[in-house]
Amino acid sequence: MRVRFWGTRGSIPVSLTWRDLRDRLVEALVAGSGQQLDTMAKAHEFVERHLPFSLRRTYGGHTACVEFEPGSEEYFVCDMGSGARAFGEHVMARNAGRPATVNVFMSHVHWDHIMGFPFFGPAYVHGTRIRILGCHDVIEHAFRLQQSPPCFPVPFDQLLADIEFVQLVPGQTVQVSGVSVTPKLQLHGGDSYGYRFESAGKSLVYTTDSEHKLENIMNTEGFVKLFRNADLVVFDAMYSLADAVSVKADWGHSSNVIGVELCQMAKAKRLALFHHEPANDDPHIEQILRETGRFEELTQQGHRLEVIAAYDGLELEL
Amino acid sequence: MYANVLVLAPEGRLDHDNCAAFHSALDRHLEETGNVAMRGVVFDLSALEYVSSAGLRCFMLAAKQARVHGGRILIAAMQPVVSEIFEISRFNLILDAFPTVRAALESLSPESARAYDQA
């Protein structure tokens, strides 16, 4: 199973500013001084080998949109955040005129998770089939609402694709075009749902916009079951633990520390920090990743968990 | 107890398995901070080897409860691993920590530091 991250930012899209870019250029030029970088190839190699992630790349700024390829002709994606625009371009390019079938699994319908849909190209192509699945009963209403006047110029009814809404039931595993899908209720304003996807012996857990109350043992056990032996857990790590249990308690998000602990209990193989706080710049996220890796080292008991920070454009093979 | 400050010294691991029991035991001690003569509690963590998120939350709840009674909760003498966990979780930003029990006592009240020196 291949996983592609099209949007990894929480709450609202962000972008590098001109100051960020200028400062990176300055830092990179200083780092490269005296290195004989007189060809593009040498410069590329230097950048990839010697500059930190936060200088040579960016975690990116699109909101939630994560595709996975279970080895089917159909497309599978979680959430329609602003990353859905680039995902749509990918679908159109790959299908080269042939209509696609896209399965969309919705965690919930807060704006950052649906805002990409009006810019999702395949929705404007005759013959495309879009199946939008989720546990909320307001998904269709939310999708139509954001494309209603005066918010957007193209009404939902003018989309050319064949769009179907499918209601899922939390805790009930269903088969969707050969993929086993188990939704789980999560703690978030208006509720959210996490998913466990299984196909051909690989398992992916997508769990964003989910707060974990540490005193609730049942909650912990439920998520350990959802994460059990997963090949990848995409986890809402928006806040620090201290913020998540104090000033930002009840804001509906979690932390890197809780992500590691739940994955360790579940013996998951890989944890992807996700739904990055929009206020955090690249060096800050890089620092959180370093610290999370260190926390995993300090707390591992015979089980090694790989920790990564998801970024827009990241592709993983499970 | 050193003058008007209580010193508690949890040992071993504080994690999901034992944090509920720790929290209950703590509640009993914290009720004493309601006593006007009590200035607060110092956690001597020199024998604490590991603390999980659930354990950290116990310290935060203790600090909240103590504040209601006008008392304070201070952390002291953390082992390096526990100190790192405090930093990674950013609990170092919401709980006051001191390198030694004596330094924590001094911060709460000079009487407790004197009592500690004389003990």
Side-chain angles (χ1 to χ4, degrees):
Chain A
M1 186 187 289
R2 193 161 190 81
V3 179
R4 279 193 199 88
F5 292 86
W6 296 99
T8 58
R9 188 66 62 162
S11 303
I12 189 166
V14 296
S15 163
L16 289 177
T17 66
W18 68 264
R19 283 190 180 83
D20 297 329
L21 195 55
R22 177 200 59 192
D23 293 348
R24 282 173 184 225
L25 284 169
V26 168
E27 220 176 305
L29 286 168
V30 171
S33 64
Q35 297 288 324
Q36 296 267 318
L37 303 176
D38 50 4
T39 66
M40 294 291 276
K42 284 183 191 171
H44 264 291
E45 190 185 345
F46 173 78
V47 165
E48 286 299 328
R49 282 195 177 192
H50 298 288
L51 298 185
F53 181 95
S54 59
L55 203 51
R56 67 186 150 86
R57 295 191 186 181
T58 177
Y59 288 96
H62 279 307
T63 60
C65 186
V66 179
E67 179 197 3
F68 62 97
E69 280 183 0
S72 150
E73 280 291 296
E74 298 187 4
Y75 292 87
F76 295 79
V77 67
C78 297
D79 283 335
M80 279 276 135
S82 67
R85 191 191 58 79
F87 169 57
E89 288 176 355
H90 164 78
V91 172
M92 307 265 276
R94 182 169 277 194
N95 270 50
R98 286 177 295 118
T101 297
V102 185
N103 299 288
V104 181
F105 298 90
M106 294 302 304
S107 64
H108 64 314
V109 292
H110 282 168
W111 193 29
D112 53 319
H113 294 257
I114 62 172
M115 59 168 51
F117 190 72
F119 300 91
F120 182 58
Y124 295 81
V125 175
H126 265 302
T128 300
R129 285 193 65 202
I130 301 176
R131 194 182 286 135
I132 300 175
L133 307 98
C135 298
H136 293 84
D137 58 7
V138 293
I139 296 178
E140 181 169 359
H141 173 67
F143 273 71
R144 287 181 175 278
L145 190 64
Q146 76 166 343
Q147 287 191 239
S148 300
C151 296
F152 198 75
V154 185
F156 190 88
D157 283 333
Q158 284 187 16
L159 297 175
L160 299 176
D162 172 15
I163 302 172
E164 175 191 10
F165 290 88
V166 179
Q167 178 97 35
L168 301 178
V169 178
Q172 284 190 13
T173 301
V174 292
Q175 298 295 317
V176 178
S177 300
V179 176
S180 160
V181 181
T182 309
K184 182 179 183 347
L185 176 65
Q186 304 178 136
L187 181 60
H188 192 70
D191 294 340
S192 71
Y193 295 88
Y195 292 93
R196 182 183 177 102
F197 303 102
E198 294 182 0
S199 174
K202 297 293 179 186
S203 49
L204 162 68
V205 173
Y206 178 76
T207 170
T208 192
D209 296 64
S210 176
E211 183 166 354
H212 297 274
K213 294 292 185 187
L214 304 173
E215 67 278 24
N216 187 336
I217 304 294
M218 292 284 282
N219 171 79
T220 301
E221 287 174 354
F223 280 93
V224 169
K225 186 178 170 200
L226 187 75
F227 294 9
R228 179 73 66 202
N229 298 322
D231 292 286
L232 175 66
V233 176
V234 179
F235 189 85
D236 171 0
M238 189 169 183
Y239 302 142
S240 68
L241 177 65
D243 275 354
V245 300
S246 60
V247 291
K248 292 175 182 171
D250 302 322
W251 287 22
H253 295 285
S254 190
S255 69
N256 55 342
V257 167
I258 299 289
V260 169
E261 288 184 344
L262 288 173
C263 283
Q264 285 173 332
M265 285 186 246
K267 297 198 175 349
K269 296 181 182 69
R270 194 154 31 168
L271 164 68
L273 307 179
F274 183 74
H275 204 274
H276 304 304
E277 160 67 54
N280 290 348
D281 60 13
D282 288 322
H284 194 150
I285 297 173
E286 198 167 40
Q287 182 193 348
I288 290 169
L289 173 60
R290 255 193 323 271
E291 291 175 337
T292 312
R294 176 64 181 148
F295 181 72
E296 189 277 334
E297 274 176 22
L298 290 172
T299 56
Q300 64 177 244
Q301 291 182 300
H303 171 73
R304 171 86 174 86
L305 170 70
E306 183 187 352
V307 181
I308 60 172
Y311 58 89
D312 297 6
L314 171 65
E315 292 193 22
L316 298 172
E317 190 65 44
L318 306 189
Chain B
M1 189 89 187
Y2 295 98
N4 46 13
V5 177
L6 180 65
V7 176
L8 297 173
E11 295 176 2
R13 296 172 63 86
L14 179 53
D15 56 24
H16 292 76
D17 292 336
N18 59 14
C19 70
F22 177 72
H23 188 58
S24 308
L26 208 52
D27 263 352
R28 289 195 295 279
H29 288 300
L30 290 173
E31 280 168 15
E32 295 172 28
T33 59
N35 178 341
V36 286
M38 181 93 142
R39 297 296 297 276
V41 176
V42 170
F43 283 102
D44 172 1
L45 301 190
S46 56
L48 188 71
E49 294 160 9
Y50 170 75
V51 60
S52 75
S53 57
L56 288 168
R57 181 174 168 275
C58 286
F59 291 127
M60 188 202 70
L61 292 178
K64 270 190 184 173
Q65 198 172 335
R67 264 199 300 275
V68 169
H69 299 301
R72 288 172 69 202
I73 297 286
L74 302 184
I75 304 294
M78 285 186 279
Q79 292 192 19
V81 166
V82 172
S83 176
E84 263 195 271
I85 292 172
F86 264 72
E87 284 172 25
I88 290 168
S89 62
R90 304 288 186 265
F91 265 70
N92 59 327
L93 302 180
I94 61 172
L95 291 173
D96 292 323
F98 293 81
T100 63
V101 171
R102 195 194 181 286
L105 291 171
E106 181 70 44
S107 160
L108 276 175
S109 79
E111 307 93 281
S112 67
R114 275 198 298 277
Y116 182 79
D117 290 340
Q118 288 159 11

